[in-house]
Amino acid sequence: MKTDRLFFIDAVRAFAIIMMMQGHFVDTLLAPEYRDMDSSIFQVWSYFRGITAPMFFTISGIVFTYLLMKSKKKGLAPERIRKGLMRGLLLIAIGYGLRAPIWDWLTGTFDNSFLIVDVLHCIGLSIIITVGIYYLTFKKSLIFSILMLVLGVSIFIMEPWYRELDTSRIPLVFANYLTKSNGSIFTIIPWLGYMSIGAFIASLFYRYFGREKFKPIIVSAFIVVGTVLIYNSSYLLMKLYYWSDVLLFKQVAYYNYLFTRLGNVFILLGLFYALERFLKNQMIFKIGQKTLSIYIVHFIVIYGSITGFGLSLLLRKSLNPYQAAIGAVLFIITVCWISLYGIKTNAFIYKKLRGLFKRS
């Protein structure tokens, strides 16, 4: 039986969340003396850790937008738009909740750490922005696709303009979405760019998935475009600079991490899609579909969110590489087990939210 479900996406999500967990575990607990950039092993680990966030944001854009566009075909677009807005607000709320210093508040200590922006805030706000653009272009899906591609590429190209953005006159709660100077881990720019590119990719799958030769064409496109972005995007940007004399292109070429990371994401998407039939495993699907639960549990266990006590406090940066590697594996297994079988985070949260909206 034919299905329009993108099975490989669940596998990519599972891979991304596992990479995120091991990255956070090792980065938080590995002793400083082992963080040697002259070590080839540490270099490889650092490189692949740098791919995790771009992959996560791009996949989030693909998943959300694909479901959004499918709902239009089924006549369920208004409901999906409402759910999308609720999802975005939920992620922002959870993001603030995970960073709420409850024990400090109880002892009368208040600071601005609660307002730090992290990955969930940015994904949530990106979803809301995507919903808004989709709503405005509802009758013209092609315009939506083009706008999302242009938005993503524009955000990457304009990176030098907002790299040192002055937000001193903006209230802190909003400024933290635009700058890391106050401690934010992620900011809406450039990460909205990856979500936008993901939305564009979703529109391609929505439009052409199931057609003859679509899979080999899109896999080849992922690999070819990804390779060009990794190895030649700086060269192409310099060519644009020489041709147009626009300094911005040169500035991007000399600090070209956004396009190269996007290239890494494309290569991984191509490989996962090409190998999709080998990845249809029930456990992989479960992990891929429970990324929010896994994120929440791993955040609490490592950083002591809500509880005030986590591995970062217990072990600090004290592990050697062997301990960190073994610990990361045990950590991933434990968090996945808790998230899949120990608690029902997603179901609980959505049940409470549905009840709240019904009462209001």
Side-chain angles (χ1 to χ4, degrees):
M1 184 178 69
K2 289 187 177 181
T3 176
D4 56 357
R5 182 177 180 83
L6 305 180
F7 290 101
F8 84 101
I9 292 297
D10 287 323
V12 180
R13 292 174 78 186
F15 176 73
I17 198 72
I18 287 171
M19 287 291 291
M20 182 206 66
M21 284 192 286
Q22 68 82 20
H24 285 178
F25 184 92
V26 174
D27 183 62
T28 302
L29 302 178
L30 183 67
E33 58 266 29
Y34 299 108
R35 300 167 187 265
D36 181 12
M37 286 307 297
D38 292 329
S39 166
S40 57
I41 296 177
F42 190 76
Q43 285 179 7
V44 171
W45 175 83
S46 297
Y47 185 83
F48 278 95
R49 183 172 183 243
I51 299 172
T52 304
M55 183 164 52
F56 214 90
F57 275 89
T58 306
I59 287 296
S60 296
I62 294 174
V63 172
F64 175 76
T65 307
Y66 185 68
L67 294 175
L68 186 63
M69 299 187 83
K70 275 176 59 180
S71 69
K72 181 179 179 181
K73 184 186 295 184
K74 298 177 181 179
L76 301 174
E79 176 67 13
R80 176 57 64 176
I81 288 173
R82 187 187 68 81
K83 285 184 177 180
L85 292 173
M86 188 174 78
R87 175 78 171 185
L89 292 172
L90 168 65
L91 292 177
I92 293 172
I94 293 175
Y96 284 120
L98 288 175
R99 290 197 168 273
I102 296 174
W103 298 107
D104 289 344
W105 290 350
L106 291 176
T107 57
T109 302
F110 300 92
D111 58 34
N112 293 323
S113 62
F114 169 64
L115 298 178
I116 287 176
V117 169
D118 210 330
V119 60
L120 291 185
H121 304 76
C122 290
I123 291 179
L125 183 55
S126 296
I127 286 175
I128 293 171
I129 292 171
T130 301
V131 168
I133 296 174
Y134 183 75
Y135 180 78
L136 293 174
T137 60
F138 184 73
K139 295 182 179 180
K140 301 289 184 180
S141 59
L142 179 60
I143 293 178
F144 171 78
S145 303
I146 295 172
L147 278 177
M148 297 312 290
L149 177 61
V150 170
L151 177 61
V153 174
S154 298
I155 287 173
F156 288 177
I157 289 178
M158 293 188 293
E159 191 272 344
W161 288 354
Y162 56 77
R163 188 186 304 161
E164 303 296 335
L165 192 65
D166 180 14
T167 60
S168 58
R169 297 182 180 181
I170 302 174
L172 188 62
V173 65
F174 301 119
N176 281 350
Y177 283 88
L178 300 172
T179 178
K180 292 183 179 181
S181 60
N182 302 312
S184 289
I185 313 301
F186 288 86
T187 50
I188 191 62
I189 46 176
W191 297 103
L192 173 61
Y194 288 105
M195 287 280 290
S196 301
I197 297 294
F200 170 73
I201 294 170
S203 71
L204 295 179
F205 276 91
Y206 172 74
R207 198 176 282 270
Y208 301 111
F209 182 70
R211 294 192 183 185
E212 187 179 2
K213 296 184 180 179
F214 170 71
K215 184 170 183 176
I217 290 173
I218 196 70
V219 167
S220 300
F222 278 141
I223 301 299
V224 171
V225 175
T227 302
V228 170
L229 287 174
I230 294 170
Y231 296 106
N232 299 105
S233 57
S234 294
Y235 169 79
L236 294 173
L237 286 164
M238 286 302 296
K239 283 291 186 182
L240 282 173
Y241 165 66
Y242 292 133
W243 174 73
S244 66
D245 200 32
V246 175
L247 181 61
L248 181 63
F249 293 125
K250 181 180 179 179
Q251 293 172 324
V252 176
Y254 274 73
Y255 192 56
N256 182 23
Y257 69 99
L258 294 173
F259 284 108
T260 54
R261 289 307 191 195
L262 182 61
N264 295 137
V265 172
F266 280 176
I267 295 290
L268 285 170
L269 288 174
L271 292 175
F272 272 86
Y273 195 24
L275 300 172
E276 183 180 42
R277 65 192 183 96
F278 301 108
L279 302 173
K280 292 183 179 181
N281 177 277
Q282 192 63 32
M283 182 56 66
I284 292 176
F285 292 159
K286 285 184 178 180
I287 294 174
Q289 293 165 5
K290 287 288 187 177
T291 53
L292 178 57
S293 295
I294 291 171
Y295 183 89
I296 293 172
V297 172
H298 110 281
F299 205 93
I300 293 172
V301 173
I302 284 190
Y303 303 113
S305 175
I306 301 174
T307 64
F309 182 79
L311 293 177
S312 59
L313 181 64
L314 178 66
L315 299 175
R316 301 185 186 276
K317 295 183 183 295
S318 63
L319 302 185
N320 63 44
Y322 299 103
Q323 292 170 329
I326 295 171
V329 173
L330 295 175
F331 173 70
I332 290 168
I333 293 172
T334 302
V335 170
C336 286
W337 185 90
I338 294 172
S339 303
L340 299 182
Y341 305 107
I343 60 173
K344 303 295 182 182
T345 309
N346 288 20
F348 175 79
I349 291 173
Y350 283 119
K351 181 180 178 181
K352 293 297 183 183
L353 279 175
R354 280 193 295 268
L356 180 64
F357 275 90
K358 285 179 180 178
R359 288 195 296 269
S360 60

